[in-house]
Amino acid sequence: MEKNVNRVCYTCGGTSFIKINSRTLKCEYCGNVIENNDSLSSEVITFLNQGDACRRKIDFENAEEYYSLAKEKDVTCAEAYFGLLMCEYGVTHVKDPVTEIMKPTLNRLSETPIKDSLFYKKLFECLFDNESKKIYQKKCDELEEIRKKSLEIS
């Protein structure tokens, strides 16, 4: 397996990935699986990494600006739309003290289901292979479950 160090994990900030297959990378630190998009320019990757850093600090407004810049440079960049979706719902990740797995949490509660978000729709318009669609669908389904449970208890 090869290592790819250009990217920063949007979940934990880790910088070391194992290439699982031609389309998928796995973070060595938290196990997060991301799309391996070799066609992204270094400028787009920098914007994505900066957006991720801001989002991890709960600075969603600046994160949105960086993800928007990435989207402007590459309108087919699924990760930019996913970043914007995570900002819309205020997604950050925290380590589960029992399993030590990074789990998403929502800092912005919305009545709008994830699948009704414009960013969700744009994300899936950018995905062309089934493996990438499965990865993002699983992540979005997890966020939707958290959103529903949060609304139930609020």
Side-chain angles (χ1 to χ4, degrees):
M1 293 183 162
E2 313 170 23
K3 289 189 180 186
N4 180 322
V5 294
N6 301 345
R7 304 296 310 280
V8 174
C9 177
Y10 66 78
T11 298
C12 73
T15 57
S16 186
F17 293 90
I18 299 292
K19 189 172 187 177
I20 296 174
N21 58 44
S22 63
R23 299 292 299 163
T24 311
L25 300 172
K26 184 174 185 175
C27 176
E28 285 192 80
Y29 301 104
C30 73
N32 182 37
V33 176
I34 65 168
E35 183 178 16
N36 181 20
N37 190 338
D38 292 329
S39 67
L40 294 177
S41 71
S42 60
E43 186 177 28
V44 170
I45 289 171
T46 298
F47 288 142
L48 292 172
N49 289 345
Q50 289 171 323
D52 294 341
C54 289
R55 191 182 45 74
R56 281 191 305 275
K57 295 177 191 171
I58 313 177
D59 182 0
F60 300 114
E61 288 75 23
N62 281 319
E64 287 170 354
E65 288 181 34
Y66 285 117
Y67 293 132
S68 293
L69 289 169
K71 173 181 65 91
E72 287 171 20
K73 292 289 180 184
D74 183 349
V75 296
T76 65
C77 180
E79 290 181 57
Y81 292 107
F82 188 61
L84 288 164
L85 177 71
M86 288 193 291
C87 287
E88 182 178 357
Y89 291 88
V91 177
T92 55
H93 292 78
V94 295
K95 188 180 277 190
D96 182 302
V98 176
T99 65
E100 296 194 2
I101 295 173
M102 297 295 282
K103 298 282 188 176
T105 184
L106 304 183
N107 292 283
R108 293 177 169 174
L109 193 53
S110 174
E111 294 280 337
T112 306
I114 300 284
K115 289 183 178 180
D116 289 345
S117 167
L118 172 65
F119 299 127
Y120 174 90
K121 293 171 185 169
K122 295 297 275 183
L123 164 66
F124 281 90
E125 286 175 13
C126 296
L127 300 172
F128 298 106
D129 67 283
N130 286 333
E131 186 62 32
S132 295
K133 288 179 183 178
K134 286 179 189 175
I135 290 169
Y136 282 107
Q137 189 60 60
K138 182 178 177 183
K139 293 172 189 287
C140 289
D141 289 346
E142 183 178 21
L143 294 176
E144 180 60 15
E145 283 303 309
I146 295 167
R147 186 194 71 79
K148 286 179 183 177
K149 288 178 184 176
S150 298
L151 283 173
E152 287 174 9
I153 60 174
S154 66

